[in-house]
Amino acid sequence: MPSIKTLMLLGGEPFLHPQLIELCKIAREIFPDILLNILTNGIILSDNYPEEKTNELKSLNVLTSISQYPA
């Protein structure tokens, strides 16, 4: 039986979603051992995304990947 190894949150800008932390908590509860990754363009992160939210994502072991665009 195949199993899920990675879950990526992407499309639009995930860091704009008001319930991003809650979505990550739910994903972590359902899939405790997967790689949970957020794909972002990084603009929100560079505009001082709240430290408490950043720390909460770290505690949930969420990876953040920044997409690269040409200059």
Side-chain angles (χ1 to χ4, degrees):
M1 173 185 217
S3 63
I4 297 173
K5 298 190 183 344
T6 302
L7 176 65
M8 292 192 71
L9 302 175
L10 56 110
E13 175 49 56
F15 282 98
L16 289 175
H17 195 290
Q19 295 173 313
L20 178 63
I21 302 295
E22 289 79 9
L23 293 171
C24 290
K25 285 179 180 178
I26 291 167
R28 188 54 73 207
E29 286 175 19
I30 296 170
F31 305 108
D33 299 323
I34 64 167
L35 171 64
L36 183 52
N37 190 352
I38 298 173
L39 181 62
T40 177
N41 62 19
I43 293 172
I44 298 294
L45 298 178
S46 64
D47 287 342
N48 298 321
Y49 192 70
E51 186 176 352
E52 64 275 3
K53 289 186 177 185
T54 301
N55 290 338
E56 198 156 6
L57 289 172
K58 286 180 186 177
S59 74
L60 293 167
N61 197 24
V62 177
L63 177 67
T64 300
S65 298
I66 299 175
S67 58
Q68 296 182 5
Y69 294 100

